[in-house]
Amino acid sequence: MEKNHGPVIERPDHEDRSSIQTLEKDAAAAIVPDHAVQLDKAAERRVLRKIDIFLIPLMWIGYGLVYYDKAILGSAVLFGMTKDLQLSVVDSSSTPPKTSTERLSWATSLFYFGMLCGLYPLTFLLQRFTMGKVLGVVVILWGLVAMLTATVTSWRGLFAQRFFLGFVESIMPTAFMCIISNYYTQQEQALRQSWWFSATGGWTIIGGALNYAFAQIEGGGLRRWQYIYLLAGALTVMYGGVCFAIPNSAVSAWFLTREERVVAVERLRKGQTGVRCQVLKKSQLKEAVLDVKIWVVTFMMAAAYTVNGAVSGFGPLIVSTFGYTPLEAILLQFPLGGVVFIFILLTGYLSSRIPHIRLPLLIACCLPVIAGCAMIWRSTWYRRAPTPVAGYTIIGFFGPVVSLVISIGMANVAGATKKSFTAAAIFVAYCVGNIVGPLLIKTPTLERHYPELWLGLIICYCIVIVLAMFLYILLWRENKRRDGLPQDEAERDAYAFRDLTDKENRYFRYVL
């Protein structure tokens, strides 16, 4: 053992335990014993830092590409896509003529219908097969489909393209949620979830800058919106090649030494969440379906993400109705992105430092979203009006709300199959919110400031607050009940890597 360079641990007497029910037990059982092993704190910090350096930039870039790919539709419509693909329809029979953007709403929503269809089969592939290989192949397909957007010539073709794009993209958020829960302790997860999810805000700014640059193109053989999709697809294909390097779990992490892999796994024992098991267990699936807290989190996610459905597909278009030019509308996405980026990171940091603050923070972050919707709806819209822009900026607090919902949902379940189900359920809700959001935008109600949209979002966030309060009480009471049960440290250590669910393992504690 190397002084100051290796973990201070006792190695198991047997080098390979992989033959002991490795499929039925958690993957961690192959390299650590049933009893807890004392770890050197310096070694633990070094291993955590290496995991962060490898995983977090990869996930931040990956989710950034997911968000950019979704959000560029909002800029593309300002660059001629609406006219080129007949996404708006003018009703000349009315006086004055009315323009309907219903096709654009469906183009936005169909992306998420594709995600819904791809979610469960691709999540199954992730659990059953090697994660890096599955991600690499699917991400490259995603990039190719994105590039094919430039070949679309009609709104019908765009509908088909958006559906298949959503299908292949559906793998990313669930993969990232599972990666975080497999590598990090409960206390660390909120901060790490916030790091990769902050790409929502970061890539709002990066994507806006790229789209603004493409707006300067004059001439050429393609339309400006076609160049945007070619760039997004090319970047995604390159990222897909890197995804092949992602290991299954800390047990097989090639960027760690053998001793460091033992540390990476052992440090997860206290949280009782396990690492990874590649067997689909029907008992865990049944438990997940009947678990009230999973459905509460799912409904919270659906309600919270209706904002993103409207902003990602219609953001620049909405801001342009405040009296700004298309280019100014793109630039005004920057403050929104800044709010999302900064407060996702801040709430993640606070959650990692202060116990049981996640749900109170979530409720607090709902309030600016409600205020922002009210400001946009009830203010006066005139050329370059500042009040609706200010309201539009502070609805960026939806970012930390959603980030906290993900963190709370994934930190409060154990068992590989149950974690996969929870990640998929959260993502189904993510898709539902994104489908509903664009459909609340009714073009004929523009003069009344889209009342259905802003009132609908206010109601959704009031629902999130009520559900968060209910969940806090539910989890607090269960923790109190478990604290009163007999405690056996040896049994606790042995339970950690048996792929037990949070309900099966009485030593599991919920985070609030």
Side-chain angles (χ1 to χ4, degrees):
M1 187 178 301
E2 294 179 324
K3 188 175 180 180
N4 299 327
H5 293 284
V8 181
I9 59 173
E10 292 296 327
R11 291 299 304 259
D13 294 333
H14 41 291
E15 288 293 316
D16 188 0
R17 296 166 52 98
S18 60
S19 62
I20 307 175
Q21 300 177 336
T22 51
L23 288 178
E24 291 297 328
K25 298 179 75 173
D26 194 285
I31 65 170
V32 296
D34 285 340
H35 60 273
V37 177
Q38 187 65 36
L39 298 177
D40 176 61
K41 294 296 182 183
E44 193 173 349
R45 287 194 298 270
R46 186 177 70 251
V47 169
L48 178 60
R49 185 166 58 250
K50 289 182 74 171
I51 293 172
D52 284 341
I53 290 171
F54 180 79
L55 290 178
I56 300 303
L58 267 179
M59 290 191 289
W60 196 86
I61 293 170
Y63 196 70
L65 289 170
V66 169
Y67 192 80
Y68 180 54
D69 189 50
K70 293 183 300 183
I72 55 179
L73 182 65
S75 297
V77 298
L78 298 179
F79 294 158
M81 177 185 271
T82 304
K83 181 180 179 181
D84 294 342
L85 304 185
Q86 304 88 46
L87 292 176
S88 61
V89 179
V90 179
D91 182 7
S92 302
S93 62
S94 61
T95 305
K98 294 182 179 180
T99 301
S100 171
T101 56
E102 186 175 343
R103 289 176 181 173
L104 178 59
S105 295
W106 277 107
T108 302
S109 295
L110 277 167
F111 177 89
Y112 299 101
F113 280 111
M115 280 192 156
L116 284 173
C117 292
L119 180 61
Y120 281 99
L122 294 182
T123 299
F124 170 77
L125 291 178
L126 272 179
Q127 183 180 346
R128 187 65 186 86
F129 301 103
T130 305
M131 181 175 289
K133 292 179 180 178
V134 173
L135 277 177
V137 171
V138 175
V139 170
I140 289 173
L141 285 175
W142 155 28
L144 295 174
V145 173
M147 294 175 75
L148 287 174
T149 311
T151 68
V152 173
T153 58
S154 70
W155 59 271
R156 294 181 184 86
L158 182 66
F159 280 10
Q161 185 276 338
R162 294 286 293 176
F163 178 85
F164 286 110
L165 189 63
F167 188 97
V168 289
E169 270 189 53
S170 65
I171 199 170
M172 300 302 290
T174 49
F176 292 166
M177 283 185 257
C178 291
I179 286 172
I180 292 295
S181 67
N182 291 344
Y183 279 88
Y184 296 99
T185 66
Q186 283 178 310
Q187 194 64 25
E188 296 162 351
Q189 284 178 24
L191 182 59
R192 272 69 185 186
Q193 293 280 15
S194 73
W195 282 350
W196 71 260
F197 197 73
S198 70
T200 301
W203 278 76
T204 298
I205 298 171
I206 294 171
L210 290 171
N211 295 344
Y212 186 84
F214 277 110
Q216 313 305 316
I217 295 176
E218 298 291 342
L222 299 174
R223 304 284 286 176
R224 285 178 290 183
W225 62 267
Q226 292 173 312
Y227 287 115
I228 295 175
Y229 278 103
L230 288 174
L231 173 67
L235 292 174
T236 303
V237 169
M238 289 189 289
Y239 177 75
V242 178
C243 285
F244 284 99
I246 298 176
N248 256 357
S249 68
V251 176
S252 57
W254 57 267
F255 55 89
L256 300 175
T257 66
R258 185 179 180 86
E259 289 75 17
E260 287 171 341
R261 289 197 290 271
V262 175
V263 174
V265 171
E266 181 62 39
R267 58 189 293 277
L268 302 177
R269 188 186 296 273
K270 184 178 179 180
Q272 305 284 309
T273 56
V275 177
R276 181 176 169 87
C277 177
Q278 292 183 246
V279 172
L280 187 68
K281 297 183 178 178
K282 292 182 180 179
S283 61
Q284 292 193 14
L285 197 59
K286 181 180 178 180
E287 181 183 308
V289 170
L290 298 176
D291 194 332
V292 173
K293 71 175 181 295
I294 291 178
W295 294 110
V296 172
V297 170
T298 299
F299 282 115
M300 288 170 64
M301 186 66 165
Y305 229 50
T306 50
V307 171
N308 184 72
V311 169
S312 66
F314 285 84
L317 192 60
I318 290 172
V319 173
S320 69
T321 62
F322 302 156
Y324 293 88
T325 67
L327 289 182
E328 289 172 338
I330 291 174
L331 291 177
L332 286 171
Q333 304 306 302
F334 287 22
L336 172 75
V339 168
V340 173
F341 181 74
I342 292 168
F343 285 95
I344 285 178
L345 293 177
L346 179 60
T347 54
Y349 175 79
L350 292 174
S351 297
S352 69
R353 295 291 179 179
I354 305 173
H356 304 316
I357 197 178
R358 299 182 200 190
L359 283 164
L361 276 178
L362 188 152
I363 293 170
C365 289
C366 286
L367 302 179
V369 180
I370 293 172
C373 292
M375 288 170 64
I376 297 171
W377 180 18
R378 307 307 296 176
S379 65
T380 301
W381 293 10
Y382 54 87
R383 179 170 171 76
R384 296 187 176 178
T387 303
V389 171
Y392 180 78
T393 298
I394 63 173
I395 64 173
F397 274 88
F398 82 89
V401 171
V402 174
S403 179
L404 287 165
V405 171
I406 294 172
S407 169
I408 291 162
M410 295 306 297
N412 283 320
V413 292
T417 300
K418 190 173 183 181
K419 284 195 287 188
S420 293
F421 178 89
T422 303
I426 290 173
F427 195 58
V428 166
Y430 161 100
C431 293
V432 170
N434 277 297
I435 289 169
V436 171
L439 299 179
L440 294 174
I441 299 174
K442 308 293 184 183
T443 309
T445 65
L446 171 60
E447 292 184 358
R448 293 187 290 121
H449 302 180
Y450 304 119
E452 295 91 348
L453 173 63
W454 308 118
L455 180 60
L457 296 180
I458 289 171
I459 292 172
C460 283
Y461 272 76
C462 289
I463 292 172
V464 172
I465 291 173
V466 172
L467 290 175
M469 294 170 66
F470 171 76
L471 186 62
Y472 188 97
I473 295 170
L474 180 71
L475 299 181
W476 177 81
R477 291 182 64 182
E478 180 59 20
N479 279 346
K480 186 176 181 181
R481 185 189 72 81
R482 294 186 180 201
D483 287 342
L485 298 176
Q487 306 292 310
D488 184 328
E489 287 300 317
E491 184 181 55
R492 176 193 176 108
D493 292 341
Y495 277 11
F497 300 123
R498 291 187 180 177
D499 194 38
L500 299 176
T501 67
D502 50 284
K503 289 195 173 185
E504 293 169 338
N505 186 349
R506 62 193 178 96
Y507 299 101
F508 186 96
R509 293 296 182 271
Y510 298 103
V511 295
L512 311 177

